[in-house]
Amino acid sequence: MSDALRRIQDLRSLIDHHNKLYHGLDSPEITDAQYDELFRELILLEEAHPEISRANSPTQRVGQTPQGRFASLAHPSPMFSLANAFSDAEVSAFAEKCKKNSDSDEDVPFVIEPKIDGVAVNLTYRNGVLEKGATRGDGVVGEDVTANIKTITSIPQSIIPQIGTPPDFCEIRGEVYLDKNAFVELNNTREENGEAPFANPRNAAAGSLRQLDPDITASRTLKAFFYAIGKVENTDKPKTQMEVLQRLHNWGFPVNERFALANSVDECLQHYYQLLRERDGLPFEIDGMVIKVNDIALQLELGEVSRSPRWAIAYKFPAEQKQTTLQNIIVQVGRTGVLTPVALLSPVEIGGVVVSRATLHNFDEIEKKDIRLGDCVIIQRAGDVIPAVVEVVLASRSGNAEKIPLPTHCPVCGTEVLKLAQEVAYRCPNERCPARIKERILHFVSRKGMDIDGVGEEVVEKLISRGLLTDVADLFALRVDDLAPLERIAQKSAGNIVAATAAAKNPPLEKFIFALGIRHIGEYTARLLTHTFNSMPKLMAAEKEELEAIHGIGKEMAQSLYDFLRSDDNKLLVAKLLAQGVNPLAPAKDVRKKPLQGMLFVFTGKLAKMEREEAKRLVTELGARTSESISAKTTYLVTGSNSGSKLDKARLLNIKVISEDDFLNMIAEHEQ
Ligand code: IVH
């Protein structure tokens, strides 16, 4: 396999993984900037290697197919995503392409709008009355969040135009978001309740909109801005994006007032830098500026490339940075013993969030960046919970800035630290270090793990110091009498904790594996392992070669997993968990099974109900491959209208020919 193909495959599965976390679970593991970087690398590699099929690539689709918590709702017309630009030059190139296609030498007029960092929604109105509200999903099918949408007070329940009558039917598109203030408040409450804070206002908005209980959504003070009209019936269609915004406003929808007509690229760029300056002062988060061709006839002419229109682009903002003073350094000890230096800062507001801590990643980094106590440092927040120190402002360094010493002993248990030659990290090697036990337990009970509520940091610390918790299995032996005497734990919460641990005894196997906190084994790998081994005893008995053979598990992961599974301590721990009645459940049936595995589909002609790319994606998700040409290996030829020579060839080779409807029935059967 070529290096490029391997990297493309890796990038695709990585991006799919992060898409799931971001769109499906509102809980990203990487920053938007890091995601954009991966995505960009994939786009460039795919462009450089057109011979590699893109049919199943995340570059060809919008977001993530809904995962089943909500009913699915097909959008009457598809919702697109936006291509990103990160430099003035990329914006100029975009404008140049629009101009080339415009049959005119004049500059193309654009409309600029702030890019609101929220969740895209599609609302349908029938006879002027709000009928349905859906998330974007994969652009074709979203999640039905109507009940939740109806709780958002700034969204009109009915269209009452200032002039004229509402259309018989229309789709209205925009962004549901949470103010910076509401975001901070929500996170404070979550932390008080021992829940994990949301990474940024967008995740908080998505999490709030995707609540099964609309009362929770209602309590979150969501707001919305609207910027597009999708399908519309029985009314004259707007001719420009300016008219779209005007009409939305006239119909009673909140439109962000910071839009403008820009007659050239230069004007677009002026707006961009102006908006960048205004960004901090805005009460809501924006992550860039959207540039759209104003003339809708030209938009239609330019069309779309798979996931995004050629007539619009998002010029993203760089990550936010601020200067502040490094007051002190504390050293945190993680689950696997890694010592992480954390900067304590003079509090500074970045993008609506007050930051007083920032990660320094590791001691190498401190040395490389020559960071000293008392330094003036630049802090960056890029959609992350934990902001990072970017660099020192050397010009502001005072004479008594102190060097930061390298650690020699664990700050918690005092054990001498280790530094392996091939690693940057210093580690506390003591498996029984109270900090490590605490982190292991917090990881075990976390939402992505065993999902046990009420077991916060404070409780765990107290239980460890009283000798009541030495490992995760002890959680299941806790009694109300153990907990109730602890300071600040009432009888009722003690009861709740015991009930929560009892209720968590049958976790899905993948969550159980993740919860064990094995080095390098994240949610995604835990799922892979579940689908390969299907039970804890089988996983415990796995040979190293079997682990290495799993697609998606590298050598290092396999080694770490093997070491974990073969260690006597861990064997005892798993046995102790099982003895406490913990019984992880394997998935009822292999949901990842690919019912169309081994089949090869070819499409010909124009499909009436979906784009060809979408059809290809559907079959590849079910395990089949697709090809552009008929061969003896073809299983099915799917015919749309105006089928050409492929049909003749298929008949010649005796290949099964099916209609689009047959095809859709086949897919529907397997998707259930
Ligand atoms: S236009 C085909 N306008 O950004 C046009 N999108 O990265 C698609 N967004 O899915 C959308 N503010 O969720 C548009 N003023 C704006 C926007 C905006 C935020 C979001 C939207 C979209 C995403 C694309």
Side-chain angles (χ1 to χ4, degrees):
M1 200 192 301
S2 76
D3 284 353
L5 178 58
R6 189 166 303 132
R7 182 67 187 149
I8 284 181
Q9 284 178 342
D10 283 354
L11 284 167
R12 285 177 182 168
S13 60
L14 257 177
I15 290 171
D16 277 341
H17 167 60
H18 290 302
N19 271 344
K20 256 184 216 129
L21 292 178
Y22 179 111
H23 294 289
L25 304 166
D26 306 323
S27 168
E29 278 173 358
I30 56 171
T31 63
D32 286 7
Q34 286 166 326
Y35 178 86
D36 286 343
E37 213 168 283
L38 292 177
F39 207 90
R40 208 171 162 69
E41 186 185 348
L42 181 57
I43 290 178
L44 293 177
L45 268 175
E46 285 182 343
E47 278 173 6
H49 295 274
E51 74 283 3
I52 296 175
S53 161
R54 298 183 206 184
N56 198 24
S57 172
T59 57
Q60 308 299 302
R61 61 187 119 98
V62 175
Q64 185 66 24
T65 308
Q67 301 278 312
R69 250 189 327 143
F70 289 88
S72 299
L73 197 58
H75 304 307
S77 68
M79 291 178 82
F80 293 106
S81 180
L82 290 171
N84 289 327
F86 296 93
S87 67
D88 292 0
E90 283 173 337
V91 173
S92 300
F94 156 77
E96 203 47 47
K97 269 195 199 151
C98 293
K99 188 171 174 178
K100 237 189 186 159
N101 279 285
S102 72
D103 304 326
S104 149
D105 292 337
E106 303 283 307
D107 276 343
V108 172
F110 296 103
V111 173
I112 63 94
E113 297 164 18
K115 185 167 185 303
I116 313 295
D117 204 6
V119 202
V121 290
N122 192 30
L123 313 180
T124 54
Y125 287 80
R126 201 171 291 279
N127 302 318
V129 179
L130 175 59
E131 187 179 51
K132 292 277 181 199
T135 60
R136 186 179 67 177
D138 62 4
V140 178
V141 176
E143 288 169 317
D144 185 343
V145 287
T146 309
N148 297 342
I149 287 285
K150 287 189 173 165
T151 69
I152 302 175
T153 46
S154 60
I155 294 183
Q157 302 287 324
S158 0
I159 300 179
I160 304 168
Q162 288 164 14
I163 323 161
T165 49
D168 289 357
F169 176 84
C170 65
E171 282 179 285
I172 305 289
R173 285 163 182 178
E175 204 77 0
V176 166
Y177 70 94
L178 206 59
D179 271 349
K180 289 174 184 171
N181 278 341
F183 166 69
V184 173
E185 257 172 49
L186 173 59
N187 266 355
N188 286 344
T189 321
R190 285 177 74 85
E191 287 191 76
E192 274 165 26
N193 296 340
E195 295 165 305
F198 284 112
N200 52 47
R202 186 205 40 242
N203 292 122
S208 304
L209 187 61
R210 301 167 75 245
Q211 285 291 332
L212 290 176
D213 177 359
D215 285 346
I216 299 184
T217 308
S219 71
R220 298 273 173 94
T221 53
L222 289 166
K223 295 184 180 173
F225 282 127
F226 292 87
Y227 45 71
I229 301 176
K231 186 172 167 180
V232 53
E233 276 171 15
N234 190 38
T235 192
D236 58 320
K237 298 201 166 54
K239 294 189 178 53
T240 61
Q241 173 63 11
M242 287 298 265
E243 272 179 48
V244 168
L245 297 176
Q246 183 59 50
R247 189 161 309 184
L248 286 170
H249 176 71
N250 172 32
W251 281 349
F253 292 94
V255 171
N256 187 289
E257 58 189 25
R258 188 55 181 83
F259 65 86
L261 191 66
N263 285 310
S264 64
V265 192
D266 282 347
E267 278 185 34
C268 289
L269 296 178
Q270 275 165 24
H271 279 291
Y272 176 82
Y273 290 103
Q274 178 59 32
L275 198 56
L276 195 51
R277 284 190 287 273
E278 290 168 22
R279 177 192 197 184
D280 256 6
L282 295 174
F284 44 83
E285 191 109 339
I286 60 176
D287 61 337
M289 184 181 87
V290 185
I291 307 174
K292 302 177 180 174
V293 167
N294 188 31
D295 181 359
I296 290 179
L298 179 55
Q299 287 184 3
L300 291 173
E301 220 167 285
L302 284 159
E304 291 89 26
V305 256
S306 51
R307 71 193 296 275
S308 31
R310 285 199 198 85
W311 48 265
I313 200 159
Y315 191 2
K316 293 287 242 356
F317 285 153
E320 285 193 88
Q321 298 191 334
K322 277 278 175 71
Q323 282 189 13
T324 186
T325 315
L326 174 61
Q327 294 180 332
N328 206 350
I329 295 264
I330 52 165
V331 179
Q332 286 180 342
V333 185
R335 204 174 74 226
T336 56
V338 172
L339 304 192
T340 307
V342 176
L344 300 185
L345 309 160
S346 309
V348 57
E349 198 222 84
I350 316 183
V353 179
V354 177
V355 172
S356 53
R357 282 173 176 233
T359 178
L360 289 162
H361 301 296
N362 54 56
F363 287 90
D364 252 24
E365 175 130 332
I366 297 184
E367 227 168 271
K368 252 191 252 152
K369 292 181 177 162
D370 187 21
I371 299 170
R372 301 188 195 182
L373 292 181
D375 267 346
C376 173
V377 287
I378 294 178
I379 309 296
Q380 174 167 304
R381 198 180 74 92
D384 256 341
V385 216
I386 310 170
V389 174
V390 187
E391 62 181 349
V392 172
V393 186
L394 281 175
S396 314
R397 176 169 283 170
S398 75
N400 47 12
E402 270 174 68
K403 275 218 164 202
I404 296 162
L406 292 175
T408 54
H409 293 82
C410 170
V412 178
C413 71
T415 307
E416 207 172 313
V417 297
L418 279 184
K419 186 175 196 287
L420 301 179
Q422 70 275 24
E423 281 190 355
V424 285
Y426 286 84
R427 284 175 190 276
C428 164
N430 176 11
E431 292 285 344
R432 299 201 165 84
C433 168
R436 293 186 60 183
I437 297 177
K438 178 179 93 178
E439 293 301 326
R440 280 204 292 268
I441 293 172
L442 290 175
H443 175 83
F444 187 77
V445 300
S446 68
R447 197 154 47 113
K448 295 175 189 172
M450 300 285 282
D451 201 7
I452 303 177
D453 274 349
V455 187
E457 187 159 354
E458 211 184 324
V459 176
V460 174
E461 271 173 10
K462 284 187 183 146
L463 291 170
I464 293 176
S465 68
R466 290 181 178 226
L468 288 165
L469 279 184
T470 52
D471 59 35
V472 295
D474 287 342
L475 280 169
F476 298 94
L478 289 174
R479 293 164 309 139
V480 173
D481 297 351
D482 296 329
L483 290 155
L486 297 188
E487 237 176 278
R488 290 182 55 195
I489 295 191
Q491 190 84 18
K492 183 161 164 267
S493 19
N496 287 347
I497 294 176
V498 174
T501 50
K505 283 189 174 169
N506 294 107
L509 180 58
E510 60 187 70
K511 288 194 134 206
F512 180 78
I513 297 174
F514 173 80
L516 290 174
I518 308 167
R519 214 173 144 203
H520 300 308
I521 308 299
E523 278 178 291
Y524 178 67
T525 321
R527 207 167 305 144
L528 277 182
L529 292 168
T530 299
H531 289 294
T532 313
F533 295 100
N534 225 35
S535 85
M536 214 42 218
K538 281 193 194 139
L539 174 62
M540 300 289 289
E543 291 304 330
K544 197 154 92 201
E545 295 69 33
E546 283 178 85
L547 299 172
E548 279 176 2
I550 301 172
H551 184 75
I553 295 198
K555 264 206 148 65
E556 202 183 348
M557 267 189 203
Q559 184 67 49
S560 144
L561 187 55
Y562 188 73
D563 291 346
F564 182 95
L565 299 173
R566 286 296 188 275
S567 113
D568 286 340
D569 277 358
N570 293 326
K571 281 193 213 160
L572 272 177
L573 177 70
V574 173
K576 191 170 162 190
L577 279 164
L578 301 185
Q580 293 285 8
V582 178
N583 181 22
L585 300 180
K589 75 176 193 297
D590 189 353
V591 282
R592 293 200 134 209
K593 250 216 174 86
K594 306 279 186 184
L596 304 185
Q597 188 101 41
M599 298 189 182
L600 181 62
F601 281 76
V602 178
F603 294 87
T604 180
K606 183 154 177 48
L607 299 182
K609 304 206 170 119
M610 63 177 70
E611 294 291 325
R612 194 183 283 189
E613 284 303 325
E614 175 60 14
K616 283 187 183 170
R617 188 171 73 72
L618 286 172
V619 288
T620 25
E621 265 175 10
L622 292 170
R625 288 176 305 126
T626 64
S627 161
E628 286 309 314
S629 55
I630 298 281
S631 74
K633 293 205 187 100
T634 310
T635 323
Y636 288 109
L637 173 70
V638 183
T639 54
S641 53
N642 302 326
S643 310
S645 61
K646 285 186 201 166
L647 184 56
D648 300 337
K649 189 162 176 201
R651 293 216 167 106
L652 205 67
L653 292 173
N654 238 348
I655 305 289
K656 280 196 204 97
V657 178
I658 58 172
S659 69
E660 182 177 356
D661 282 343
D662 295 337
F663 167 71
L664 288 175
N665 287 336
M666 181 191 288
I667 298 287
E669 212 170 277
H670 290 303
E671 280 203 320
Q672 277 155 15

